[in-house]
Amino acid sequence: MAVYKKTYRPYDGEMTSPLARLLVIPRYALDDLHRSKFLTTFFICSFIYPLVCALIIYVQHNASVLRLFGAENAQRLISINVTFFQALLGWQSMLALFLGAFIGPGLVSPDLANNALSLYLARPFSRVEYVIGKMTVLLILMSCMTWIPGVLLFGLQGYLEGWQWMVDNQRLAWGMFFGSWVWILILALLALALSAWVKWKPAAGGLMFGLFFVAAGFGATVNAVQRTKWGHLLQISNIVGQVWVWLFEGNNPTTSGAIFFRVTQGEELPLWCCWAALAALAGICLYMLARKIRGAEVVR
């Protein structure tokens, strides 16, 4: 743009705080998602399983309700233990995968397709803040689906069972919290990276499912043909499941992981390999974002 009169002066007024600027992107993104009836219905329905779990916990500690239904021995059928909370985390995490596949591809690709990144970055807004702002949308929604219901149910069980139960089983709460964040961060980074490189939303969503299910099948084939266990490195669900088992139970596990995240007995990988694989996947996603999230694109 030609400047004929040298009367331009930079803005010297009061600027908003970095946090306020960072929350602009998730605020408008969440408002757009709220207009989708399908996503709103799906998000609300994702709380059915936690509500059922809360009802189970309440009924088990209410003798009058058990006598009303003639189920005095129901406490023996369902135990509120590590398996109960792992099943909750596994089910909710799978729903979070579907949510990320629907929402993630539409976060970055429209900005790239319409050359809108320069409008973002021309303001006091860095590339890191842009990515964090987009990730915040997924982090908020997935947190509401995973660790927040799990920690609330742990608190409900501890309130009804007693303080000593909470002290003895505090690792369940920590496992629910940190295990959820491991899964949430991997999903969020993967969704944004695919959204940045695949501008067609259905293709990006399908590719996200392919990385989990097709890669898992390929890893199982490698294990069967080569008679090894290292093919599990291609199965993200298996790697995450092994990390969850350690977070919930430590070095002496008694379970085989959560639902949808089962760990094959006798084929466990070293824990450091699982963490290294997740770190490598996160690093690849960050590299992909760094290559695409730029203020200007040079086409040769």
Side-chain angles (χ1 to χ4, degrees):
M1 178 182 297
V3 179
Y4 297 100
K5 295 181 180 181
K6 299 181 180 181
T7 58
Y8 170 78
R9 295 291 184 272
Y11 176 75
D12 56 358
E14 183 180 359
M15 297 183 64
T16 57
S17 64
L19 179 59
R21 296 196 299 267
L22 184 65
L23 294 178
V24 170
I25 293 179
R27 184 178 67 193
Y28 284 98
L30 291 173
D31 183 64
D32 292 337
L33 295 176
H34 181 68
R35 299 173 185 173
S36 174
K37 295 182 179 179
F38 172 76
L39 290 177
T40 302
T41 304
F42 178 82
F43 184 70
I44 294 175
C45 292
S46 66
F47 294 99
I48 295 178
Y49 188 79
L51 288 176
V52 172
C53 292
L55 182 62
I56 292 174
I57 294 175
Y58 174 76
V59 169
Q60 281 210 337
H61 293 84
N62 196 316
S64 60
V65 176
L66 293 176
R67 288 195 298 269
L68 178 63
F69 291 97
E72 290 82 356
N73 296 325
Q75 293 180 349
R76 302 177 183 177
L77 301 177
I78 301 178
S79 299
I80 312 301
N81 52 17
V82 61
T83 303
F84 180 87
F85 286 97
Q86 280 187 350
L88 170 67
L89 179 59
W91 179 265
Q92 295 300 110
S93 296
M94 185 54 62
L95 295 180
L97 171 61
F98 283 90
L99 184 71
F102 282 115
I103 295 178
L107 292 177
V108 179
S109 58
D111 296 338
L112 291 173
N114 297 289
N115 297 320
L117 276 180
S118 57
L119 299 178
Y120 282 100
L121 302 180
R123 291 161 173 78
F125 214 78
S126 66
R127 295 193 300 168
V128 175
E129 290 175 327
Y130 173 82
V131 173
I132 293 177
K134 293 294 185 179
M135 280 186 62
T136 303
V137 180
L138 295 173
L139 299 184
I140 292 175
L141 295 178
M142 292 181 182
S143 294
C144 293
M145 296 174 62
T146 54
W147 67 268
I148 292 180
V151 172
L152 290 177
L153 289 174
F154 177 84
L156 176 62
Q157 171 68 9
Y159 173 76
L160 297 175
E161 190 71 25
W163 174 255
Q164 188 60 41
W165 183 92
M166 296 184 68
V167 174
D168 296 338
N169 297 274
Q170 58 179 320
R171 193 177 184 108
L172 299 180
W174 292 115
M176 179 68 67
F177 179 78
F178 289 108
S180 297
W181 274 110
V182 169
W183 180 244
I184 289 172
L185 291 176
I186 290 297
L187 280 184
L189 288 173
L190 190 59
L192 292 183
L194 293 178
S195 177
W197 281 80
V198 183
K199 297 182 180 180
W200 191 37
K201 295 180 184 180
L207 185 59
M208 192 169 178
F209 280 111
L211 287 175
F212 284 96
F213 297 106
V214 177
F218 182 74
T221 303
V222 171
N223 288 337
V225 173
Q226 300 295 329
R227 295 182 180 180
T228 182
K229 63 180 180 180
W230 294 102
H232 290 308
L233 287 175
L234 300 176
Q235 302 176 4
I236 301 177
S237 59
N238 187 284
I239 296 175
V240 174
Q242 293 188 58
V243 172
W244 284 357
V245 169
W246 178 78
L247 289 173
F248 274 92
E249 300 184 88
N251 297 322
N252 299 309
T254 59
T255 62
S256 59
I259 182 174
F260 303 120
F261 297 86
R262 296 295 183 190
V263 179
T264 305
Q265 294 292 336
E267 298 184 4
E268 297 87 352
L269 299 175
L271 186 63
W272 68 269
C273 288
C274 299
W275 284 111
L278 294 178
L281 179 59
I284 292 173
C285 293
L286 290 174
Y287 175 76
M288 294 172 63
L289 288 171
R291 290 293 304 272
K292 280 294 183 178
I293 306 301
R294 297 180 177 181
E297 183 177 359
V298 178
V299 181
R300 296 181 181 179

